[in-house]
Amino acid sequence: MKNKHGSKRALTRNQSLVFEALRKAKNPVGAYELLDQLREHGLRAPLQIYRTLDQLIELKIVHRLESLNAWTLCCDAEHDSTPVFAICNDCGIVTECFDENISSNIQKISKRSGFVADRSVIEIHGRCDQCETSQG
Amino acid sequence: MKNKHGSKRALTRNQSLVFEALRKAKNPVGAYELLDQLREHGLRAPLQIYRTLDQLIELKIVHRLESLNAWTLCCDAEHDSTPVFAICNDCGIVTECFDENISSNIQKISKRSGFVADRSVIEIHGRCDQCETSQG
DNA sequence: ATAGGTATTGTTATATTATAACGATTCTAT
DNA sequence: ATAGAATCGTTATAATATAACAATACCTAT
Ligand SMILES: [Zn+2]
Ligand SMILES: [Zn+2]
Ligand SMILES: [Zn+2]
Ligand SMILES: [Zn+2]
């Protein structure tokens, strides 16, 4: 994904299309919903979407939400720490946040059992502030 | 799932079948794999499996691993706190563990943004102690 | 610039995972 | 026993994801 100079390569056409679709969406988007939206721009097959999403994940600008089967833009291209996603059951909004302690606790819990962590999935379901206050 | 005395009801036939299949498995099992195994005992349709799994989750004796699309027995029927699953990429073994701090951190991270947590998914992928030490 | 090899992309087909709809059966309370 | 509610079985179908291979673009050395 990087060119020979190590700098970031511009996004390919498919990558840009998927990126823009995700950027315009309020909430995470499923693969087939992306496909529907991008048909008019020439994407016809699921694999074109899935491959592109994998590439954008590799580039660290997109995350997959495992408990939703959906994808969302990363809030910030630079983080190394494990993101924590807060997912609202009502409005579907997803907030990416970080917590030093959670990351270090995962390290600890891993070391305790000799487990070497690689990738963490942390997805909290509940109700966002807005839904909580507006509807009781 | 509880009878009128509030005590735990015995498992139904389907529940027992799925429970036993999970108990015998070393690792989490997918719905269609369960279906294959239980065909000889009279289960024929995916819904019979999915419904039963939902019931066992409701009974808090089974967990679903969101990042695997698979299910596993709970290590301990009594916990209230959020389980943390360590999933080995190599051998597929899944260890359910707990960490007071992680639970309280999730509370904090939630409160910070007014989010009210409901259900947490924490799944750590990596290599288990055994795979790590045996194969370098 | 051109040929040859490599990596990426497009396309078709298919696999895997999950749910909708509805009738049959069982359970529950009177 | 009987009516209503809940659960279950069955068929069909929806939703999500990948395998296989051909076509195209890309890189490298001449
Ligand atoms: Zn991020
Ligand atoms: Zn909300
Ligand atoms: Zn458990
Ligand atoms: Zn292992």
Side-chain angles (χ1 to χ4, degrees):
Chain A
M1 289 312 171
K2 302 225 180 161
N3 67 16
K4 60 186 165 185
H5 304 299
S7 59
K8 282 175 190 167
R9 182 179 288 173
L11 296 182
T12 66
R13 174 175 164 76
N14 286 358
Q15 287 168 0
S16 296
L17 287 168
V18 170
F19 181 90
E20 280 305 311
L22 289 175
R23 198 174 58 73
K24 283 174 193 150
K26 282 252 163 95
N27 295 348
V29 188
Y32 280 76
E33 197 181 330
L34 287 168
L35 180 57
D36 281 345
Q37 287 177 31
L38 296 176
R39 244 179 244 286
E40 54 183 316
H41 295 93
L43 298 206
R44 297 155 221 255
L47 255 194
Q48 295 178 289
I49 304 293
Y50 284 107
R51 281 176 182 158
T52 304
L53 287 167
D54 285 347
Q55 293 160 359
L56 293 173
I57 288 171
E58 185 70 19
L59 289 169
K60 306 199 178 189
I61 57 189
V62 161
H63 296 294
R64 173 177 159 87
L65 293 153
E66 297 289 344
S67 58
L68 298 180
N69 295 336
W71 288 261
T72 191
L73 286 195
C74 177
C75 65
D76 164 5
E78 301 302 330
H79 70 84
D80 275 325
S81 47
T82 295
V84 176
F85 295 101
I87 301 167
C88 179
N89 297 331
D90 280 22
C91 68
I93 202 168
V94 171
T95 307
E96 181 178 358
C97 38
F98 301 93
D99 188 299
E100 282 300 319
N101 295 321
I102 286 185
S103 298
S104 75
N105 284 331
I106 285 174
Q107 297 293 345
K108 271 182 217 155
I109 211 171
S110 300
K111 277 184 185 159
R112 198 186 299 161
S113 55
F115 190 89
V116 178
D118 184 40
R119 168 175 86 92
S120 297
V121 173
I122 308 183
E123 301 177 6
I124 308 174
H125 293 251
R127 291 184 89 200
C128 75
D129 188 36
Q130 187 155 7
C131 290
E132 192 65 26
T133 53
S134 70
Q135 298 182 18
Chain B
M1 291 311 173
K2 303 226 180 161
N3 66 16
K4 60 189 165 186
H5 303 300
S7 60
K8 282 175 189 167
R9 181 177 290 175
L11 297 183
T12 65
R13 173 173 164 76
N14 287 358
Q15 286 168 2
S16 294
L17 286 168
V18 170
F19 181 89
E20 280 306 310
L22 289 176
R23 199 173 57 73
K24 282 174 193 151
K26 282 253 164 92
N27 295 350
V29 189
Y32 280 77
E33 198 181 330
L34 287 168
L35 181 56
D36 282 346
Q37 288 178 29
L38 297 176
R39 246 179 244 285
E40 55 184 315
H41 295 92
L43 298 205
R44 299 152 220 258
L47 256 194
Q48 295 178 288
I49 304 293
Y50 283 107
R51 280 176 184 157
T52 304
L53 287 167
D54 285 347
Q55 293 160 0
L56 293 173
I57 287 171
E58 185 70 21
L59 289 169
K60 305 201 177 186
I61 57 189
V62 161
H63 296 294
R64 174 179 157 86
L65 293 153
E66 296 289 342
S67 58
L68 299 179
N69 295 335
W71 288 262
T72 193
L73 286 194
C74 177
C75 64
D76 163 5
E78 300 303 330
H79 71 83
D80 274 328
S81 47
T82 297
V84 176
F85 295 100
I87 300 167
C88 179
N89 297 330
D90 280 21
C91 68
I93 204 170
V94 171
T95 307
E96 181 177 358
C97 38
F98 301 95
D99 188 297
E100 282 298 321
N101 295 320
I102 285 186
S103 298
S104 74
N105 286 332
I106 285 174
Q107 298 292 344
K108 273 184 216 154
I109 211 170
S110 300
K111 277 185 185 160
R112 199 187 300 163
S113 55
F115 190 89
V116 178
D118 186 41
R119 169 173 86 94
S120 297
V121 173
I122 308 182
E123 301 177 7
I124 308 174
H125 293 252
R127 291 183 90 202
C128 75
D129 188 35
Q130 186 155 7
C131 289
E132 190 67 25
T133 54
S134 69
Q135 300 183 15

